[in-house]
Amino acid sequence: MSANTLHAGFVDPVSASQAGFRAVLDAMAHPGRVYPLKGPAEVPSGLGRVTAGVLLTLADYSTPLWIDPAIAGQEGIQTYLRFHTGAPMVDVPKYSEFALIGKGEAPLNGDRFSIGTPDYPDRATTLILQVDGFERGDAVVLTGPGIETPHRFAPAPLPAGFWDVVRNNAALFPLGLDIILCGPDSVAALPRSTRIGG
Amino acid sequence: MYVAAKGGEKAIAGAHRLLAEERRGDPAVSEIGTDQISEQLGRAVDRVMTEGALFDRKLAALAIKQAAGDLIEAIFLIRAYRTTLPRFGYSEPLKVSDMRARRRISATFKDVPGGQVLGPTFDYTHRLLDFALEAEGGARDHSVELHSAATGDALHDDPGPMDPMPRVLDQLASEGMIEDSEAPAGDVVSPVGDITREPTEFPADRDVRLQTLARGDEGFLLAMGYSTQRGYGRTHPFAGEIRMGEVTVEFMPEELGFPIEIGEITITECEMVNQFKGTATEKPKFTRGYGLGFGHVERKAISMALVDRSLRCRDLGEEAGAPAQDEEFVLSHSDNVQATGFVEHLKLPHYVDFQSELELVRRMRAEFDAAQEAKEEIAKPEAAE
Amino acid sequence: MTAVQSETPRAEADSGYNFAYLDEQTKRMIRRAILKAVAIPGYQVPFASREMPMPYGWGTGGVQVTAAVIGSDDVLKVIDQGSDDTTNAVSIRSFFVRTTGVETTEKTRDATLIQTRHRVPETPLSEDQILVYQVPIPEPLRFLEPRETETRRMHALEDYGLMHVKLYEDIAHHGHIATTYAYPVKVAGRYVMDPSPTPKFDNPKMNHSPALQLFGAGREKRIYAIPPHTEVVSLDFEDHPFEVQQWDNACALCGATDSFLDEVIMDDAGKRMFVCSDSDYCEERRAAGHVGEEGVPL
């Protein structure tokens, strides 16, 4: 396939977005639990299908999007997301409503993103990370709203400093970063209310 | 044996049928056409367009007919329809200076370039019921003659061929006597807000305030404006200019890169001139209040201009304390669709909450009685001694 | 019992409007607000509420939340005052049948999505369910401080002293906390939240509920949430602990003594009876053979 081909988005955007949203909502309401999510059939390289599905579901012209320059295939991903979501691309992570983080172990610096303000804690960046799975990483135990009994969670690969960002949320709450993790065919989330340990 | 009331669905269908019958009235009387409403109840149509925030005479007329003349209900119908329409973008700012004015008056100068044009106005009618109107086709030109007779030399009753009509307040601006209406060149201007897309935050900027006032209930703004005149936050207003007429709407399609005309709308604009005492660092000068609405909505535009000016008290460093200067109070309560919904929702069943109150009040009454009895018990032996 | 489907035959969704009435951009905006609400339990997220084809005060916030959440697989239940057959519940249910064609039910257990005004169902909810509340005034501090600028700051500083003062004044004056509905709660140890005008009887059901609870206030343009398994504490004092309403009566139809009872006036002489406000709960008990004083076996 030529580099200039623009891959299609959702075939049935109304029901696909609804299903995508319910998966993300379930994930956000049950931190660390994994929910299946179907993304579009074909996506540009470097962008997971689930990741594409999440962004097509949630992003639009009103949500500035930051894409980690470390992500390979930047240009194709930008073109694809700009076309299907209309989201304005921003260079400064602080200005982004969604930030797409590169897969791998390159360090993640949480300070670069918006954690909201005391008056409007909702105005915080949602980080979207791509992982290979939720079982094989170093396990942590999660507690907090949405979690009935301490829950084991082991996504991988993760950027260095990832768990520091999550731990730091506890100190920042109600400010903080909300995180959506996209696997090959499923999604999980770590809202800022989630605590590690316990 | 008690059976809980059922059949809500049937009751609703029945209510809708009765409503339709009531709206139609006596079938022996011919049905009113939306064209008749649009042509002959124009001021009602204009109000519905303004507060409904949609310029469409036909739809406003339809809404008035469907709402049986209940204008707030009609405004609601238009709003609910408007919100489902696709959005292509924002028009270019209206060039109100280029208005083809059918009415234009200034209360601040005896005469102004372009003249005082009275146009269609109730201002000098004698409020005598015109019984000739009861008969079809009666008294057609009568009122027009009255207008002309009252106008005097300096006033035209018809603009005729257009004279250029510079804005009255521009004259004051050229002397530096009044604040600028636009930000000085080079200033960073934040993008104009959109109250239909973003929830209002307080404190609100003037763009958001004006949008809210433009949709605001005419009666509410009238009362608020009136209160400032009576001394609750006085602003020393003068009607610098009121104009009503047609302006061209332009839209710039992204792909073209230049604006094209997409139509013409009727609007009413009011620019109020208000005194400003100045501060330690600023010279005394005049300030502005602004009002704008679709169609011929003069009362609304004037009221809006008064309230706009009052709400600027914070920006101008004035002492604030009157209701019309209270931004949250005014902006949060000006929308009649919101207001009527919440006020009228008291009709909905609230018996679960009321049950909770009943229980509490009964318990508190029982406790009160018990306490009284206990007091009397204590008092008794003493009385016996 | 009559299933709702037989009253309103499952209609093809009305083709003139998008699925669930709202356009996709509006749904996205509401969905983003819902996600932030879930991430910050009890915090009121501002959202650009739309004009709906029903009046403000009739549940436009709840309807927008439901419309953003609902999918064609959902089974919807709508209640007002605990009952499926109150006129506004009927009206909202028929709106969604018309615009989505989803299956509806009166049975709490069978529903995946429940929209409610003023009650939490008596039947315990499960993890697979979402409860959507219609909210008139989302700000619990509004009656103490009418200004949004002030209440927003109080939430930011976690400054809830005023609320405690108000509740304590009640105790001083009346010997009780005189708030019987919309009784304020603290969610996940941080935000004080209005549980909507549900009777305080229902507050304990919100605590550690397995179901996700979403709150929509249309006129006031706010969405908030309680995630599942989240601590929801009704504000109280050590010497005046929170307590719920109690009745001397049992439900006249099903004999329940653990449900919220509506008082029904029977005649001019002031004869009263008490029946379950939750019509499905009452039906279910009667179907299981429970009979109250004035009831007959089903």
Side-chain angles (χ1 to χ4, degrees), chain C residues 253-256 281-292 295-298:
Chain C
L253 297 181
C254 77
Y281 184 70
C282 199
E283 291 272 359
E284 196 172 73
R285 281 181 50 85
R286 294 173 69 201
H290 298 280
V291 183
V296 285
L298 273 188

Side-chain angles (χ1 to χ4, degrees), chain A residues 118-137:
Chain A
D119 279 358
Y120 295 96
D122 53 305
R123 294 180 185 171
T125 307
T126 300
L127 307 184
I128 298 176
L129 277 88
Q130 314 197 71
V131 296
D132 291 335
F134 301 99
E135 299 289 333
R136 302 209 171 157

Side-chain angles (χ1 to χ4, degrees), chain C residues 13-67:
Chain C
D14 223 317
S15 56
Y17 289 100
N18 194 23
F19 179 83
Y21 178 77
L22 296 175
D23 61 277
E24 290 302 299
Q25 200 281 326
T26 299
K27 285 187 200 167
R28 266 194 303 275
M29 175 271 294
I30 296 172
R31 286 167 179 165
R32 291 192 297 261
I34 292 173
L35 292 178
K36 286 295 175 199
V38 171
I40 317 168
Y43 165 74
Q44 303 161 52
V45 181
F47 83 111
S49 175
R50 298 290 193 256
E51 263 110 1
M52 297 299 284
M54 64 225 14
Y56 290 113
W58 265 243
T60 55
V63 168
Q64 287 180 81
V65 169
T66 297

Side-chain angles (χ1 to χ4, degrees), chain A residues 19 25 37 43 69 80 89 111 171 175 187:
Chain A
L25 178 63
L37 189 155
V43 287
Y80 175 87
M89 303 289 161
D111 297 343
L175 310 191
V187 69

Side-chain angles (χ1 to χ4, degrees), chain A residues 8-193:
Chain A
F10 285 136
V11 177
D12 176 358
V14 175
S15 62
S17 311
Q18 191 275 336
F21 168 67
R22 281 292 273 274
V24 177
L25 178 63
D26 275 335
M28 202 59 96
H30 302 97
R33 266 203 236 169
V34 179
Y35 292 88
L37 189 155
K38 270 202 192 116
E42 287 183 349
V43 287
S45 73
L47 188 68
R49 285 178 52 194
V50 171
T51 319
V54 168
L55 281 167
L56 264 53
T57 296
L58 296 176
D60 59 30
Y61 73 89
S62 65
T63 58
L65 174 65
W66 179 81
I67 302 179
D68 191 341
I71 295 182
Q74 263 281 329
E75 212 169 296
I77 293 173
Q78 276 205 21
T79 309
Y80 175 87
L81 290 176
R82 198 184 280 127
F83 182 82
H84 287 296
T85 69
M89 303 289 161
V90 291
D91 296 334
V92 183
K94 269 235 166 12
Y95 297 153
S96 65
E97 186 154 341
F98 294 104
L100 181 54
I101 313 292
K103 186 152 76 176
E105 286 162 13
L108 177 67
N109 177 3
D111 297 343
R112 303 174 69 195
F113 304 97
S114 169
I115 56 169
T117 66
D119 279 358
Y120 295 96
D122 53 305
R123 294 180 185 171
T125 307
T126 300
L127 307 184
I128 298 176
L129 277 88
Q130 314 197 71
V131 296
D132 291 335
F134 301 99
E135 299 289 333
R136 302 209 171 157
D138 293 335
V140 294
V141 172
L142 307 176
T143 57
I147 303 167
E148 189 176 15
T149 52
H151 179 83
R152 186 185 174 279
F153 190 48
L158 290 173
F162 176 82
W163 292 113
D164 293 335
V165 171
V166 179
R167 266 188 207 96
N168 201 29
N169 272 337
L172 293 171
F173 193 84
L175 310 191
L177 300 167
D178 306 310
I179 301 165
I180 298 174
L181 297 155
C182 302
D185 50 17
S186 54
V187 69
L190 293 167
R192 68 188 78 176
S193 58

Side-chain angles (χ1 to χ4, degrees), chain B residues 352-367:
Chain B
V352 163
D353 290 346
F354 187 67
Q355 185 64 49
S356 303
E357 296 281 272
L358 266 180
E359 191 265 350
L360 176 72
V361 173
R362 280 195 186 123
R363 188 147 47 96
M364 282 166 47
R365 285 169 63 92
E367 283 167 9

Side-chain angles (χ1 to χ4, degrees), chain B residues 173-187:
Chain B
S174 63
E175 291 176 59
M177 288 283 286
I178 192 164
E179 62 180 337
D180 290 327
S181 61
E182 284 168 29
D187 264 26

